[in-house]
Amino acid sequence: MSLLPAFLDLRGARAVIVGGGRVALRRAQTLLRAGLSVTVVAPQVQAELSALPVAVVARAYAPGDLRGAALVVAATPDAGVNAQVVQEARAQGSLVNDAADAARGTLRFAAVAEEAGVQVAVSSGRELPMLAQALAQRCAALLPTEAQLCGWTAQREAALILPEPEKHTALNTLREDIRRALGAA
């Protein structure tokens, strides 16, 4: 099976996480960084999760809790509850991640390396998150600094206003400079 790699702009969208433990905490942090509005539904929520800017519904999941959610995470220790959450989310067309059984959902969270606005997301294509995490760490060492990005952006902008063939030459030079800096030349 091949997954569709994509970066989604879901800023302001509603996300619901069912579960209040460690995995729910990590997913909430990820969703909040991406600008989603997060609601957590769980009878017990760990303190670190409650301290985040999330709405907490302190009770067990009930049908209808996912209404209006663009994205849903099933992160309870109960496989039966997670299955119900996935089923409801799929039925309403929400993206859904089952933290305990990724293949059951429609969304998998990638391991991410980020520097100066450049993001690299890695999926192992299997259930090997430790491989994806190791690859993301290795990629992080390759990411450019803010100063490099600013310089390359300025070079590109200057090249775009040049007449041909100078424009083509300047863009090729920039492409080679970037490849060399990243060790891809």
Side-chain angles (χ1 to χ4, degrees):
M1 173 181 73
S2 182
L3 300 174
L4 172 68
F7 288 89
L8 305 172
D9 182 353
L10 295 175
R11 285 174 291 182
R14 181 169 188 259
V16 175
I17 300 172
V18 180
R22 277 183 310 107
V23 174
L25 171 63
R26 286 196 318 270
R27 296 296 184 248
Q29 291 167 330
T30 298
L31 297 174
L32 289 167
R33 276 193 303 273
L36 282 85
S37 173
V38 178
T39 298
V40 175
V41 178
Q44 295 179 331
V45 177
Q46 63 175 235
E48 287 176 277
L49 183 53
S50 293
L52 296 176
V54 299
V56 175
V57 178
R59 62 165 170 72
Y61 159 78
D65 284 345
L66 311 181
R67 194 170 297 117
L71 191 148
V72 174
V73 176
T76 77
D78 185 322
V81 171
N82 289 348
Q84 288 179 313
V85 170
V86 169
Q87 182 179 13
E88 182 181 347
R90 281 178 168 267
Q92 71 182 23
S94 300
L95 296 171
V96 62
N97 171 258
D98 184 332
D101 185 357
R104 192 166 33 191
T106 60
L107 171 71
R108 296 183 189 188
F109 287 89
V112 177
E114 185 171 3
E115 178 68 36
V118 174
Q119 287 184 326
V120 176
V122 180
S123 171
S124 67
R126 301 167 189 247
E127 299 310 312
L128 286 171
M130 59 287 297
L131 171 61
Q133 291 162 356
L135 288 168
Q137 287 173 340
R138 183 139 184 215
C139 289
L142 298 173
L143 295 179
T145 65
E146 182 70 34
Q148 285 175 306
L149 278 177
C150 288
W152 292 335
T153 301
Q155 280 181 263
R156 181 180 178 273
E157 290 171 2
L160 290 176
I161 61 172
L162 294 173
E164 289 294 350
E166 291 90 354
K167 175 180 172 180
H168 181 75
T169 301
L171 288 173
N172 279 338
T173 299
L174 174 58
R175 184 177 293 109
E176 290 307 312
D177 288 349
I178 291 171
R179 291 178 58 76
R180 199 171 14 267
L182 298 181

